[in-house]
Amino acid sequence: MSTSAQIGVSGLAVMGRNLARNFARNGYTVALHNRTASRTHDLIKEFGHEGDFVPTESAEDFVAALERPRRLMIMVKAGAPTDAVIQEFARLLEPGDMIIDGGNAHFADTRRRERELRERGIHFVGTGVSGGEEGALHGPSIMPGGSTESYASLGPMLEKISAKAKDGAPCVTHVGPDGAGHFVKMVHNGIEYADMQLIGEAYQLLRDVAGRTPAQIAEIFRTWNTGRLDSYLIEITAEVLSHVDAATGAPFVDVVLDQAEQKGTGRWTVQIALDLGVPVSGIAEAVFARSLSGHAALREASRGLAGPRPAPMGEAEAAAFADRVEQALYASKIVSYTQGFHEIAAGSEEYGWHIDLGKVASIWRGGCIIRAAFLDRIRAAYDARADLPSLLSDKTFAQEIADAQDDWREVLVAATRQGVPAPGFAAALAYYDALRAERLPAALTQGQRDFFGAHTYRRTDRAGSYHTLWGGDRSEVEA
């Protein structure tokens, strides 16, 4: 077996197959491996003309086909299957070689794997890949972690196969050490959950309150996609809403069961945010909304509960309402990105990753699911001020929310009065109002905690921690 391949891909399901083709299309010789050899043969038969492939059937032949330092990308199911594949290949590798995990691994697993392989002299590169099967083939957004040495060897290859932003910049950067890449990919997916929930709420409000049909709403979204909401998710929303089911002639969205599934990265985003003490209420509401949608029996039992039913508006009123929904959607979207970037910053500080938030925004401008025009402005905001506490601290974004908030509030009033759930819009506005509040009820909460658990409290007028003797004369003692 000649050592001719510059990179190898093991795991040739849709994502792995398309990444292998992407490497080959960009001039790299690619070694192929799959536990089921027929997938390897099928790829060669169907796409072998696209570039130089080296098909292999065993782990030994696969590793032997790679030039040094060996670059071996695994695209297998997260968890135990990933560990099993790593162990299978690691025994065959030498110091300086690298294993690249392009799956949706939990960042804590990536940190463990990177540490274990580092002790053996092997680089482990946990790499977030976003863009779905089309992105994998034509150019994804890529979020690699790992050592600087591994990026020096692998980075130019990833930059070549990645998506390119409108200014030509490759949508890939060395995010940081060990699990940083998979952490950023996790938060990307959390923002994606929030984005999709907000779009769903906008759709439901336009349909139930404004009385628009799916086809009419598709046109509204197409119009929005020419302005500040320009994004991949807005674009595909218009396509989905305009689609008509061939079997029934009904709008496609009406024949799809209203139960949204999830693979886990959104949940991870919320769970880790809780561990870090970072409020990501918009992302959490999106996760809970998907969860609630799946409780069919509970929803069926509750449909008779008291409450208002939507009464569609007249034509002029509906048109004005659609404009207000656009404002609410845009303002809520800013908040969801604010929360996501806050979590990335907190994770970076907790684990010593030194993640550049401006570069994260930059590589999300193309290829990935949440790619959007306003990421250029997010990048510019962080480039101008690396220590920006929040996107809401940026003057431009703050002004846009100030301009949108009256309509944002009116949309939520209409949703509440007509009984249309809008938890994403509501959570985003509550977060905004909590940040700008002079005082929060947390003072009362801390007083309650001191009453029943002697948890102490701090005062506004002097330093130190205190406890009130609630059961006696209620005198205060310094803790």
Side-chain angles (χ1 to χ4, degrees):
M1 177 73 65
S2 66
T3 56
S4 60
Q6 293 145 300
I7 193 162
V9 178
S10 179
L12 300 177
V14 174
M15 285 292 289
R17 179 188 66 194
N18 282 1
L19 281 170
R21 293 171 60 197
N22 191 348
F23 279 115
R25 286 175 166 192
N26 278 281
Y28 297 108
T29 300
V30 185
L32 304 174
H33 174 265
N34 196 79
R35 285 189 178 275
T36 305
S38 61
R39 280 190 173 172
T40 305
H41 301 318
D42 290 344
L43 191 156
I44 294 296
K45 182 178 179 180
E46 191 172 356
F47 304 110
H49 64 280
E50 293 184 342
D52 294 327
F53 296 102
V54 181
T56 68
E57 294 195 7
S58 70
E60 289 78 6
D61 286 347
F62 180 57
V63 171
L66 298 168
E67 66 180 25
R68 296 288 312 279
R70 300 181 180 95
R71 307 175 190 90
L72 188 161
M73 177 171 256
I74 58 174
M75 297 296 297
V76 298
K77 187 176 180 181
T82 297
D83 282 319
V85 171
I86 289 171
Q87 291 308 311
E88 180 180 18
F89 289 126
R91 64 184 175 83
L92 303 171
L93 299 179
E94 300 174 81
D97 293 345
M98 70 185 72
I99 296 176
I100 306 129
D101 177 12
N104 269 337
H106 194 290
F107 81 96
D109 288 336
T110 301
R111 298 190 77 213
R112 168 180 57 81
R113 291 162 182 155
E114 193 276 337
R115 182 177 61 252
E116 293 171 351
L117 290 173
R118 187 183 346 123
E119 292 172 355
R120 301 165 66 171
I122 299 170
H123 296 284
F124 186 72
V125 184
T127 303
V129 179
S130 179
E133 59 184 275
E134 285 299 306
L137 180 60
H138 299 293
S141 174
I142 310 176
M143 296 152 258
S147 66
T148 54
E149 294 86 353
S150 64
Y151 192 79
S153 172
L154 178 65
M157 300 178 71
L158 297 182
E159 289 167 12
K160 196 166 184 181
I161 72 159
S162 73
K164 307 301 184 290
K166 289 182 179 180
D167 61 4
C171 293
V172 58
T173 190
H174 180 221
V175 176
D178 56 72
H182 275 144
F183 186 95
V184 166
K185 175 58 164 57
M186 173 192 74
V187 176
H188 164 284
N189 286 21
I191 295 172
E192 177 186 313
Y193 275 53
D195 237 351
M196 293 173 71
Q197 175 64 25
L198 294 170
I199 290 170
E201 292 177 17
Y203 154 74
Q204 189 164 14
L205 287 163
L206 291 172
R207 188 159 193 191
D208 291 351
V209 178
R212 299 304 197 195
T213 66
Q216 290 171 326
I217 300 171
E219 288 306 311
I220 292 171
F221 274 90
R222 287 195 178 99
T223 300
W224 289 352
N225 200 48
T226 64
R228 60 185 182 175
L229 283 172
D230 175 11
S231 67
Y232 174 71
L233 283 172
I234 294 291
E235 176 186 345
I236 68 169
T237 298
E239 293 300 311
V240 172
L241 288 173
S242 64
H243 181 52
V244 175
D245 178 58
T248 64
F252 170 76
V253 73
D254 287 348
V255 301
V256 177
L257 188 65
D258 60 337
Q259 296 180 15
E261 299 176 358
Q262 51 187 310
K263 290 188 175 180
T265 46
R267 285 198 304 271
W268 293 349
T269 304
V270 176
Q271 289 164 350
I272 300 305
L274 290 170
D275 292 339
L276 293 171
V278 176
V280 292
S281 50
I283 298 171
E285 286 295 350
V287 172
F288 289 137
R290 291 197 191 189
S291 177
L292 188 148
S293 76
H295 287 271
L298 175 63
R299 292 173 60 199
E300 180 63 31
S302 305
R303 284 199 173 96
L305 292 174
R309 297 294 177 188
M313 299 171 169
E315 183 63 29
E317 189 181 8
F321 183 71
D323 290 339
R324 289 196 290 273
V325 171
E326 190 271 347
Q327 292 271 35
L329 176 56
Y330 184 72
S332 299
K333 183 183 179 79
I334 291 173
V335 168
S336 68
Y337 278 75
T338 296
Q339 293 180 351
F341 276 93
H342 184 188
E343 181 166 0
I344 293 172
S348 179
E349 182 177 359
E350 175 72 16
Y351 299 109
W353 287 329
H354 305 291
I355 296 173
D356 186 323
L357 299 182
K359 287 184 177 178
V360 170
S362 181
I363 66 172
W364 285 351
R365 293 179 299 155
C368 70
I369 303 301
I370 65 170
R371 59 186 184 266
F374 90 142
L375 278 159
D376 257 327
R377 293 170 47 226
I378 293 178
R379 179 199 59 170
Y382 282 113
D383 285 350
R385 185 181 172 189
D387 64 344
L388 191 70
S390 158
L391 285 178
L392 300 180
S393 302
D394 176 76
K395 289 183 179 179
T396 302
F397 286 120
Q399 185 59 54
E400 286 183 319
I401 285 199
D403 294 341
Q405 69 169 292
D406 287 347
D407 288 329
W408 194 8
R409 296 177 193 281
E410 285 299 321
V411 165
L412 280 166
V413 168
T416 302
R417 284 178 174 166
Q418 300 217 34
V420 178
F425 284 179
L429 182 58
Y431 176 87
Y432 175 76
D433 281 340
L435 287 181
R436 68 183 194 84
E438 188 69 30
R439 294 273 291 171
L440 293 171
L444 175 59
T445 301
Q446 197 60 21
Q448 293 167 328
R449 294 182 73 242
D450 187 63
F451 190 105
F452 65 67
H455 292 293
T456 75
Y457 53 89
R458 288 171 293 159
R459 296 179 59 93
T460 60
D461 55 353
R462 58 181 181 267
S465 296
Y466 299 89
H467 168 56
T468 293
L469 302 175
W470 296 100
D473 60 3
R474 299 198 175 186
S475 60
E476 183 179 81
V477 295
E478 190 165 3

